[in-house]
Amino acid sequence: MRLGVLDVGSNTVNLVVADAESGLPLPVHTWERRPRLAHRLPADGTIGDEAMQRMIDAVGEAAGEAHRAGVNRMFAYATAVVRDAPNRDEVLVAVEKATGVRLGTLSGIEDARLTFLAARRWLGWRAGPMLMVDIGGGCLEVAFGRDRLPESAMSLPLGAGRLTREFLRDGDPPSPRAVERLRRHVRDRFAEVAARTSWESPRTSVAASKTFQQLARLTGAPPLRLGPFVPRELKARELRPWIKRLAAMPSPKRARLPGVSPHRARQILAGAIVAHEVMRRLGVGSVRICPWGLREGILLRELEARQVPLGNAAWVPWD
């Protein structure tokens, strides 16, 4: 049996296909489009007609790709850019009507739990008590645990794309005043929640997401072309000076930096600010970069046949 996971994110639509018989979430086929749903969204996150049509086109292409790849069961979901949109229900209905694909949504906590599962399986039990951090386009997820799933997890609206739309709209590069407002917001919002949460000192701190991968590369980690098994880490002291540099650069110049992709160049500054503040607040000097994330966590959940809540999204027959 072949399993497919379709991920509709703020910038990209990704399809990952894996063989259930292998017992591992190793892709036998991948596919990606970049409809850039978050591009030019208003501050309240409403998805307009143009962005909705780009999303419909990409999901329709993905459905055809899944059929050609021999997918038998598919889990299709939309991330925070759709989940938190004021017109979410209208968007989901339009996508299903046009493509036949019913997109579900995962809560931020479910996202954190499944991403933690992927990181645990990648690093293994020798990682011990583990802290996992994930910066997406819409939300920041943090989870801690000693077992397969975390004992505590939280999700905050501190995603790199969301913060860029809300705080860094006054120019490219943004004004120093806008950057400082963003830093204060992240500091205050995360500190407020973290103070109410009991975090044990982890043996291993791990980060999952494209944002962390690109920040690690920016600060000197090996390039992704060398493969997923090359160790990579992001150090807080090496990230800090880059915040000031990124804040002074327009997006086209950021896109020429090592590891920074053009479609993430505008939001990489917000991502760097969130990453540094979280590491500082939690007393983490460095994080190991995990190449597995939410999509692999969803596949692992199915492959391991254990109960992990998946919100209102579900696996559906696909052949």
Side-chain angles (χ1 to χ4, degrees):
M1 176 181 286
R2 282 199 162 179
L3 307 176
V5 174
L6 178 61
D7 175 336
V8 178
S10 58
N11 282 302
T12 61
V13 172
N14 287 277
L15 173 68
V16 176
V17 179
D19 283 325
E21 288 75 13
S22 72
L24 291 171
L26 299 177
V28 296
H29 183 72
T30 60
W31 177 94
E32 178 183 293
R33 286 292 181 273
R34 294 177 179 171
R36 300 184 67 190
L37 301 182
H39 183 58
R40 295 183 180 175
L41 281 186
D44 70 351
T46 298
I47 298 176
D49 293 341
E50 183 181 345
M52 191 186 306
Q53 188 58 54
R54 294 199 304 270
M55 178 179 174
I56 288 171
D57 292 344
V59 172
E61 287 186 57
E65 191 71 17
H67 282 297
R68 288 189 290 274
V71 170
N72 306 112
R73 297 180 70 198
M74 186 162 76
F75 186 92
Y77 66 96
T79 60
V81 67
V82 175
R83 182 187 69 216
D84 298 338
N87 60 336
R88 175 190 64 187
D89 294 342
E90 175 190 343
V91 171
L92 295 179
V93 168
V95 171
E96 183 174 10
K97 183 178 179 180
T99 68
V101 177
R102 182 178 181 181
L103 293 174
T105 56
L106 298 171
S107 73
I109 299 300
E110 291 164 335
D111 187 326
R113 287 167 60 82
L114 289 163
T115 304
F116 183 95
L117 170 63
R120 170 63 76 192
R121 289 297 185 243
W122 179 266
L123 293 174
W125 296 110
R126 64 180 179 179
M130 189 174 74
L131 175 74
M132 187 284 301
V133 187
D134 180 358
I135 301 173
C139 293
L140 160 74
E141 277 85 41
V142 184
F144 173 84
R146 306 172 184 82
D147 210 332
R148 170 178 174 269
L149 294 174
E151 298 158 21
S152 58
M154 67 179 184
S155 178
L156 299 173
L158 297 176
R162 184 197 300 265
L163 294 178
T164 300
R165 293 194 303 273
E166 293 178 356
F167 289 89
L168 305 180
R169 299 173 63 89
D170 67 349
D172 186 15
S175 68
R177 181 179 179 183
V179 174
E180 184 55 33
R181 283 182 57 241
L182 171 56
R183 294 184 73 154
R184 285 200 305 269
H185 174 78
V186 173
R187 184 180 303 121
D188 294 346
R189 186 65 191 271
F190 185 73
E192 175 187 349
V193 176
R196 301 198 302 265
T197 307
S198 177
W199 300 101
E200 181 181 325
S201 296
R203 180 184 301 173
T204 303
S205 298
V206 58
S209 70
K210 290 292 186 182
T211 296
F212 273 108
Q213 289 178 4
Q214 294 193 3
L215 290 173
R217 176 70 184 114
L218 182 63
T219 57
L224 293 179
R225 59 181 170 77
L226 297 182
F229 299 104
V230 176
R232 297 174 177 87
E233 67 175 344
L234 173 65
K235 297 179 180 179
R237 69 173 183 270
E238 295 176 354
L239 175 61
R240 183 175 181 178
W242 272 104
I243 295 175
K244 185 175 181 179
R245 297 172 196 166
L246 291 170
M249 294 181 188
S251 298
K253 188 172 181 180
R254 294 178 197 165
R256 296 195 293 269
L257 295 171
V260 179
S261 58
H263 68 285
R264 293 178 185 271
R266 187 168 178 83
Q267 68 183 49
I268 195 68
L269 169 59
I273 290 172
V274 174
H276 186 266
E277 180 59 29
V278 170
M279 294 171 72
R280 187 192 69 81
R281 182 63 180 79
L282 296 179
V284 174
S286 65
V287 290
R288 296 175 63 177
I289 304 300
C290 177
W292 281 1
L294 177 57
R295 292 188 291 273
E296 288 79 12
I298 291 170
L299 287 168
L300 282 163
R301 179 264 179 189
E302 180 68 9
L303 293 170
E304 296 180 4
R306 295 283 297 276
Q307 283 295 321
V308 180
L310 290 178
N312 67 350
W315 288 91
V316 295
W318 197 252
D319 54 351

